Structure formats: structure tokens, C-alpha cells
Amino acid sequence: MERKKEFVRNEELMFARIKKILGKDFIGPDELKKIRRVFHAGLPDKPTPKLPWTEARLKKMRGAYVLILGTPTDDKGRKLTLVRMRSIFGWDLKKSEPCFYNQDWYMKEAFAAGKTLGYKWYLIGKNILSKTRGKSPNAISMSLKKDETFPSAILTAYTFFAYYFLNKKSRLWKHDFIWGSDRDRNKDAVYTGRYADPDKINKNGFNIHRYLSIGPRYGFVSQIL
């Protein structure tokens, strides 16, 4: 029992140090418990995973990344998939915000209906890198560092909603779409984000779209005038 108490104290001290470094960009177990009533993430009854990054490394990430603890289930023990999150937060602006953008093409896609986060830490950027704007995911992948990868759609949605509730309705990637690691059943790349349309044409909502890649079944048909 004493060892367990000592472990808890050490963990609390470590999280306090990380919180001091990252501030509002740290979302750990206490933060998830704080927003449980609205975010509905469930935490497994087991020790918090160890951080895979040193404090020195996190100091270099300060202000540019969110460190967040992922979890595979909601507070009722159900798999916390994108489909489940959509049922929690809805898609009707008249009922509540934040919500998902009103579309349902992905409801039966494997990345949305079956995929969850692991019970581990994730480090995800807060802003799009300017050098990647306007580039395809294939082009971007050629310049990634060894320790960089595309985030999954579930990670971006999970982080967006958690961050919103914890930080006075702050919206990550408010006007930007971000390429992800997922593909739909046709192997088209999935991208997410842009809660608010800067041109005010589309309604608010967390977007999940797919990039229609050019394949052998696409072509040109001439119209003679």
C-alpha cells in the first residue's frame, strides 16, 4: 500500500512538472476527469502509461503541440470510436456546440466505426506547418522526419473536443483541414478539422472528408460544340 501511495505521489509530481511546462496544452487523467460530464471519456482502471518523451523534449514542443492521454472507451465502457463520438456530440448546431459537421458518409468506414485510440500518450501539433499548405499527403510524406507521422482521424477529433471543453471553447484547426493517416474503403486519404468556414458558406462542425485521388477509372470525355 505504501509503495502504491508513493507511486501516486511521484506521478502527481511528474504531471505537475509537465503541466508547468505545457500549461493548457497538457491533457492528462485529471483533465479528462474534469470534463468527464461533457466529454465522456472513460479511463481504464490501471496505471497511467509512462510518458515516452523527456521533459527536455517537451520543453522544445511548448506552445506548438498538445500532449494528450488517449483512451479506447467512453465512460460507459463502450468503444470510443468516431461514430460513438458523433452520437455523443451530435451534428445539429441548433441543439448543441461543439458538434460534428452534418455528414454521414463515413459511418460504416472501418476507420470511423471500429478504430479507437490506445491507452497511451499522444503528441499532436496545434497548427499546420506553413510549408505543407496546398500539398498532397503523398508529397508531404516525402519530407517527414523519422519521428513524424500523420495523425488518425479519431485522434484529431478526440483532441479537438477535449481541448475545446478544457480551454474556454478554444478551437484547434479552426479554419484548417489537416491530412490524416486513415484511408477509406477506396484507399482515398481522409482529412479532418476546419470547425468554422472562414468564407461562412458552410455551417460550423468538426469535418471529416476524403480526398478523391485520381485513379484509372477517372478520365476525360470530350464534348463537341
Side-chain angles (χ1 to χ4, degrees), residues 39-87:
F39 187 58
H40 300 287
L43 292 173
D45 187 19
K46 53 185 177 181
T48 306
K50 292 183 179 180
L51 281 167
W53 305 281
T54 63
E55 290 184 33
R57 182 68 187 282
L58 293 175
K59 285 180 180 178
K60 294 180 180 180
M61 303 295 181
R62 179 166 38 202
Y65 286 80
V66 175
L67 176 62
I68 187 168
L69 179 62
T71 181
T73 60
D74 66 12
D75 54 359
K76 295 183 179 180
R78 303 178 193 173
K79 290 177 67 176
L80 191 57
T81 63
L82 276 172
V83 171
R84 176 61 185 146
M85 290 183 69
R86 187 175 183 271
S87 71

Side-chain angles (χ1 to χ4, degrees), residues 29-155:
D30 287 344
E31 286 71 26
L32 291 175
K33 290 174 183 176
K34 187 182 298 184
I35 59 173
R36 186 173 182 175
R37 184 178 62 81
V38 288
F39 187 58
H40 300 287
L43 292 173
D45 187 19
K46 53 185 177 181
T48 306
K50 292 183 179 180
L51 281 167
W53 305 281
T54 63
E55 290 184 33
R57 182 68 187 282
L58 293 175
K59 285 180 180 178
K60 294 180 180 180
M61 303 295 181
R62 179 166 38 202
Y65 286 80
V66 175
L67 176 62
I68 187 168
L69 179 62
T71 181
T73 60
D74 66 12
D75 54 359
K76 295 183 179 180
R78 303 178 193 173
K79 290 177 67 176
L80 191 57
T81 63
L82 276 172
V83 171
R84 176 61 185 146
M85 290 183 69
R86 187 175 183 271
S87 71
I88 291 172
F89 302 117
W91 56 92
D92 188 345
L93 288 169
K94 295 179 181 179
K95 292 183 177 180
S96 65
E97 277 197 84
C99 64
F100 282 83
Y101 186 70
N102 189 11
Q103 57 185 172
D104 60 5
W105 70 267
Y106 53 85
M107 294 295 284
K108 294 183 179 181
E109 294 285 341
F111 77 87
K115 191 172 184 177
T116 67
L117 293 177
Y119 183 46
K120 64 179 185 179
W121 294 96
Y122 295 86
L123 196 57
I124 180 171
K126 295 172 62 179
N127 300 292
I128 283 183
L129 298 177
S130 58
K131 64 181 181 180
T132 67
R133 288 190 180 277
K135 293 184 177 181
S136 70
N138 287 339
I140 295 170
S141 65
M142 299 296 288
S143 61
L144 293 181
K145 298 176 182 177
K146 290 183 178 180
D147 61 349
E148 290 181 312
T149 189
F150 291 95
S152 64
I154 182 66
L155 175 59

Side-chain angles (χ1 to χ4, degrees), residues 168-197:
K168 298 178 180 179
K169 301 183 179 181
S170 293
R171 304 176 205 177
L172 293 171
W173 322 299
K174 182 178 179 180
H175 294 145
D176 289 321
F177 289 121
I178 51 179
W179 293 115
S181 60
D182 298 293
R183 299 269 173 169
D184 69 4
R185 66 188 66 189
N186 295 316
K187 308 301 180 184
D188 293 318
V190 173
Y191 60 97
T192 61
R194 203 194 70 173
Y195 190 85
D197 183 356

